[in-house]
Amino acid sequence: MTRLAAWPRTPMPALALVLVLVLVVGTAGACTDDAEKARRTPPQTATPSASASEASPRTEPSAAAERLPAVTSPYSLTALMAEEFSSERPRRTRTVLENEAYTEHEVLYRSGDVRVSGVLLVPKGPGPFPAVVLNHGYIEPSIYVSGQGLSREQTHLARAGFVVLHTDYRGHAASDPASDLDRETRLGYTRDAINAVHALREEPSVDPDRIAMLGRSMGGGVTMNALVAQPGLVKAAVIYASVSSDYLDNLRRWTLPERPESAQQLFRRFGSPRQRPGFYEGLSARTYFDRITEPVLAHHGTLDESCPLPWARTTQRLMTQAGVDSTLQLYEGEQHAFGPRWLDSMRLTVRFLRRELSA
């Protein structure tokens, strides 16, 4: 069986409106992380209700994972495929809390030449433990605080016996600044997620052979980017209410209407999607789904108001066609943030991770 599966609002200038009407394009965007509204509210224990699972038969990963596509631009997923990644043990800067189940630290880790902040949760016990890198959804960087966006998931996974490293990404919290292109293309965030895995491998409490990745909303897109850029990086991946695997879907959904100046900057530098479709395909994870070697579990609400359900269905279909071991789990009536069914989804996630990581 197979398993898978915002930007600041500004008035739209006339030029951006013309671009929307004439080019019918978009740029890489990301869903606002609405789950943060409930980050300090204990999840409800819901009686499981009807949900649907769309799975693809297990197949062997394509040999494409062993091939390296030509690097056509330094701002592309193929550029990440050609990079060599490494990091060092996360440096603890402050202990946030300690309880009977785990200890939480604020940390810094190295992502290339960039210093990235995050939070590290380590279960009590001898270890080594399986581990999960968490990639959060979009939260305006100017108001973001370290560890924000996936606090429910952090606690649940740590109590289930996983070391958790939640990356803040560059340009957030105590991290070094991010360039405009790092943000717009999400390539900088993808590098930070990949290097978070390498940092965890240096953490003594972690079993380096049992690491997974989980991302929600924009972080789902970051996770898919990491999977195609570095096959074999992790043993399994989970995506929640993810953005589209097509860069242009996200551009149309967020960047053009909410940050038209950012779209114009992209078009001036790289050309419009009509002029240079290949450039934008090179920023779309779905272009390289045949490189994914890990099982993927996706959760999506049928009433997601931010990341439309058809995006998740299309991603699942394309992963299946590419031979990915993928499952899309649907939650009837759930919206983007996940409420009554969140605990059900996390129980499924923990079972999936324990099975795939042999935890």
Side-chain angles (χ1 to χ4, degrees):
M1 149 177 183
T2 20
R3 298 169 279 277
L4 182 164
W7 303 359
R9 289 180 167 77
T10 56
M12 179 183 291
L15 177 57
L17 181 58
V18 171
L19 288 170
V20 175
L21 297 176
V22 177
L23 299 176
V24 193
V25 296
T27 136
C31 302
T32 300
D33 198 341
D34 295 328
E36 191 57 26
K37 297 174 182 176
R39 68 188 297 259
R40 297 304 179 192
T41 303
Q44 302 177 28
T45 303
T47 301
S49 58
S51 65
S53 178
E54 301 177 10
S56 53
R58 182 182 293 274
T59 59
E60 290 301 317
S62 168
E66 302 300 323
R67 300 194 301 268
L68 186 63
V71 178
T72 57
S73 169
Y75 293 100
S76 65
L77 289 170
T78 56
L80 268 63
M81 297 174 195
E83 286 187 26
E84 293 186 5
F85 292 88
S86 66
S87 189
E88 299 160 350
R89 178 184 179 183
R91 180 169 64 84
R92 292 160 169 78
T93 59
R94 186 171 75 94
T95 298
V96 178
L97 68 84
E98 184 171 2
N99 58 33
E100 80 291 350
Y102 62 88
T103 304
E104 179 179 348
H105 309 274
E106 289 183 352
V107 297
L108 294 169
Y109 70 94
R110 182 175 56 79
S111 181
D113 295 331
V114 177
R115 181 186 61 177
V116 179
S117 63
V119 295
L120 179 72
L121 288 76
V122 181
K124 293 294 181 66
F129 302 99
V132 187
V133 168
L134 299 189
N135 302 320
H136 65 81
Y138 183 84
I139 301 171
E140 167 55 39
S142 64
I143 63 171
Y144 176 90
V145 296
S146 187
Q148 189 176 359
L150 286 166
S151 58
R152 296 180 298 177
E153 289 77 5
Q154 294 166 24
T155 299
H156 192 95
L157 290 169
R159 288 187 175 277
F162 295 88
V163 172
V164 175
L165 175 54
H166 174 118
T167 174
D168 291 332
Y169 307 135
R170 60 192 64 193
H172 294 69
S175 302
D176 289 341
S179 71
D180 290 342
L181 283 173
D182 275 344
R183 290 191 299 267
E184 290 302 326
T185 62
R186 303 309 189 213
L187 296 177
Y189 298 168
T190 302
R191 287 183 171 92
D192 299 339
I194 292 171
N195 280 313
V197 174
H198 287 279
L200 275 181
R201 288 177 178 164
E202 303 301 320
E203 170 63 37
S205 62
V206 170
D207 182 338
D209 296 321
R210 295 193 293 161
I211 301 177
M213 186 175 284
L214 181 152
R216 84 170 317 274
S217 196
M218 180 189 73
V222 170
T223 298
M224 288 188 283
N225 286 352
L227 295 181
V228 301
Q230 297 288 307
L233 174 72
V234 293
K235 290 298 181 73
V238 180
I239 57 178
Y240 264 92
S242 179
V243 297
S244 177
S245 54
D246 182 354
Y247 184 87
L248 290 180
D249 281 344
N250 302 318
L251 181 72
R252 296 184 185 105
R253 175 69 175 84
W254 291 286
T255 312
L256 278 170
E258 298 185 5
R259 294 206 305 193
E261 72 287 349
S262 296
Q264 294 165 30
Q265 182 181 22
L266 277 176
F267 300 157
R268 285 193 297 267
R269 178 158 184 174
F270 300 109
S272 74
R274 177 171 292 180
Q275 294 166 330
R276 292 191 61 196
F279 172 78
Y280 297 94
E281 290 171 359
L283 293 172
S284 301
R286 66 176 53 173
T287 305
Y288 310 105
F289 275 170
D290 58 352
R291 290 176 52 81
I292 296 178
T293 58
E294 300 78 18
V296 182
L297 170 65
H299 303 286
H300 215 96
T302 60
L303 298 183
D304 193 316
E305 74 286 1
S306 190
C307 297
L309 177 59
W311 287 358
R313 291 190 183 278
T314 299
T315 290
Q316 167 64 8
R317 175 175 57 81
L318 294 177
M319 282 195 176
T320 298
Q321 291 175 357
V324 180
D325 178 9
S326 58
T327 296
L328 170 61
Q329 186 72 26
L330 301 181
Y331 297 84
E332 190 67 33
E334 278 289 0
Q335 296 183 313
H336 188 62
F338 270 69
R341 300 297 308 281
W342 177 82
L343 188 55
D344 294 335
S345 71
M346 284 305 297
R347 287 169 175 161
L348 179 59
T349 293
V350 168
R351 289 198 300 270
F352 169 76
L353 293 177
R354 284 178 173 164
R355 180 176 67 246
E356 298 302 331
L357 302 182
S358 301

